[in-house]
Amino acid sequence: MKYTIDKNGYYGKFGGSFIPEMLYPNVEELRLNYQAIMQSPEFKNEFQYLLRHYVGRPTPLFFAARLSEKYRAKIFLKREDLCHTGAHKINNTIGQILLARRLGKGKIIAETGAGQHGVATATVCALMGMDCIVYMGKLDMERQRPNVERMRILGARVIAATSGNMTLKDATNEAMRHWINHPTDTHYIIGSVVGPHPYPDMVAQFQSVISEEIKNQLQNDIGNPYPDYVVACVGGGSNAAGAYYHFLNDEHVQLIGVEAAGKGVNTNESAATTALGKVGILHGSKSLLMQTEDGQVIEPYSISAGLDYPGIGPLHAHLFDVGRVQFINATDDEAMNAGIELSRLEGIIPAIESAHAVAALSQLTLSEEDVVVLNLSGRGDKDLETYIKWGRY
Ligand SMILES: *Cc1c(COP(=O)(O)O)cnc(C)c1O
């Protein structure tokens, strides 16, 4: 069983590069160079230096004693919420901006839905003194005002996408169009393990630092690098890919992916792609996505903006297809309750995305000896309004 891309950029049946011809030179330049750049000692040194001294890595692996008592298992939290800017996304944006510089690019573009990837991109552009344009749906800009202002404070230009539903899909289209028109001086930083090859593989490698650290930390803490379970939420799938990466070939480690069921998998207001999706092409790769009979992308829904995505990356489609990852889902209410529970039991208010992973604990059949690592992808500060509106605490 293989869980890495083949020479054509496929994970089993999924992946590849389905892009307009005009974009081909940009993606090809990246494809031909990314491995050599990422493997050079000079790149590795700079990446590792910034992860350590700028992002704050390694992030702690925290034994959650009260949560463990409640679920009768040994539960560890991987604290990605303690990364600079509050989530795992910065691991990827640091990696990609270092790559962009080595490709001689002076300008960066990105798309963003809720604004978290936009903020992580604007942050590294400020750090590197690079021009930054973030495309964001006009509707999303109204819904996520604080993140728009964060990006502006950091010096980025935020451009409203006014086509279609004026959300993430439309922002992505505008970013692609911009890239086609500025091929030589611009790099497009994609925010998850999605997009045309080589993005899914590149982003997964940048995020793989998460499982590399988990292995070392478990070895130190319990004398065994292998947990029984790794649990992570899945939007596009980057935090999950990072948390699974170095365990993929250790088949005795059970990998659990948690998708957002929204108001319920059968309500038409959901983002549970593996439960509802079919094979199709989205954002340049073949994967699973939520679509109508005639192939129109269905607008996803989740209370959590970061999980509100109609597909999953091709790696996850493959892991689902071959049964390596067990996908489950949690509703808005289950996630919100789990977020409050973690706050009360451990003094950690999680991002609502991460709260979906916490909600999975009650769906697993655990025993006292089981070691569970839960990837806490982000902190709840950005979600305070949503917690307040929900109100049940
Ligand atoms: C963006 C985001 C996610 C979802 O994205 P993935 O690529 O699936 O990781 C999850 N958690 C947080 C905190 C996020 O900001």
Side-chain angles (χ1 to χ4, degrees), residues 87-89 116 192 233-239 306-307 351 353-354 377-378:
H88 67 288
K89 286 198 171 73
Q116 293 304 110
S192 188
C233 66
V234 177
S238 69
N239 88 87
L307 301 184
E353 291 86 356
S354 322
S377 56

Side-chain angles (χ1 to χ4, degrees), residues 285-346:
S285 69
K286 190 192 248 186
S287 192
L288 289 172
L289 62 129
M290 294 174 16
Q291 54 191 321
T292 60
E293 290 294 325
D294 54 354
Q296 296 293 318
V297 175
I298 295 173
E299 236 2 71
Y301 164 80
S302 165
I303 193 167
S304 139
L307 301 184
D308 195 351
Y309 184 72
I312 50 172
L315 167 61
H316 292 290
H318 178 58
L319 295 172
F320 171 70
D321 192 42
V322 298
R324 177 66 187 96
V325 173
Q326 185 194 346
F327 282 85
I328 56 181
N329 54 70
T331 63
D332 288 358
D333 279 356
E334 287 164 346
M336 295 306 291
N337 282 322
I340 301 298
E341 179 177 82
L342 187 68
S343 305
R344 298 283 161 90
L345 286 178
E346 302 292 347

Side-chain angles (χ1 to χ4, degrees), residues 189-262:
I189 300 190
I190 294 183
S192 188
V193 283
V194 300
H197 172 59
Y199 279 99
D201 180 49
M202 181 173 71
V203 177
Q205 287 191 50
F206 286 140
Q207 293 291 0
S208 72
V209 64
I210 299 173
S211 48
E212 188 183 319
E213 288 175 7
I214 292 171
K215 258 188 159 163
N216 289 334
Q217 289 166 322
L218 277 182
Q219 177 67 50
N220 281 336
D221 292 356
I222 62 168
N224 175 2
Y226 301 108
D228 296 290
Y229 293 89
V230 177
V231 182
C233 66
V234 177
S238 69
N239 88 87
Y244 302 160
Y245 199 89
H246 291 284
F247 298 113
L248 284 170
N249 293 318
D250 303 307
E251 305 276 344
H252 57 285
V253 178
Q254 298 192 55
L255 306 176
I256 311 290
V258 190
E259 295 187 302

Side-chain angles (χ1 to χ4, degrees), residues 63-205:
F63 176 66
R66 300 210 325 128
L67 198 67
S68 296
E69 195 180 332
K70 160 121 202 220
Y71 289 101
R72 305 188 165 282
K74 299 192 178 78
I75 301 171
F76 291 82
L77 303 175
K78 182 57 174 164
R79 299 291 309 277
E80 293 302 293
D81 61 314
L82 295 177
C83 290
H84 177 46
T85 69
H88 67 288
K89 286 198 171 73
I90 189 115
N91 302 325
N92 169 47
T93 57
I94 295 239
Q96 283 199 50
I97 204 158
L98 293 180
L99 196 80
R101 272 204 331 202
R102 282 161 179 81
L103 290 173
K105 313 287 178 183
K107 297 180 178 180
I108 295 294
I109 54 167
E111 86 296 338
T112 197
Q116 293 304 110
H117 173 57
V119 169
T121 302
T123 299
V124 298
C125 287
L127 177 70
M128 297 292 163
M130 280 163 81
D131 249 35
C132 182
I133 295 180
V134 179
Y135 286 92
M136 188 169 185
K138 185 162 175 285
L139 183 66
D140 287 336
M141 284 178 73
E142 286 158 15
R143 294 193 291 197
Q144 308 289 339
R145 183 102 214 153
N147 274 342
V148 174
E149 298 313 322
R150 261 180 210 121
M151 288 183 263
R152 287 179 174 151
I153 289 169
L154 290 161
R157 240 171 86 208
V158 185
I159 298 184
T162 55
S163 58
N165 292 307
M166 299 191 271
T167 58
L168 179 61
K169 176 167 56 66
D170 314 294
T172 305
N173 290 339
E174 304 265 322
M176 293 262 188
R177 200 165 309 142
H178 181 115
W179 205 22
I180 287 171
N181 291 326
H182 304 82
T184 49
D185 64 351
T186 301
H187 174 71
Y188 178 14
I189 300 190
I190 294 183
S192 188
V193 283
V194 300
H197 172 59
Y199 279 99
D201 180 49
M202 181 173 71
V203 177
Q205 287 191 50

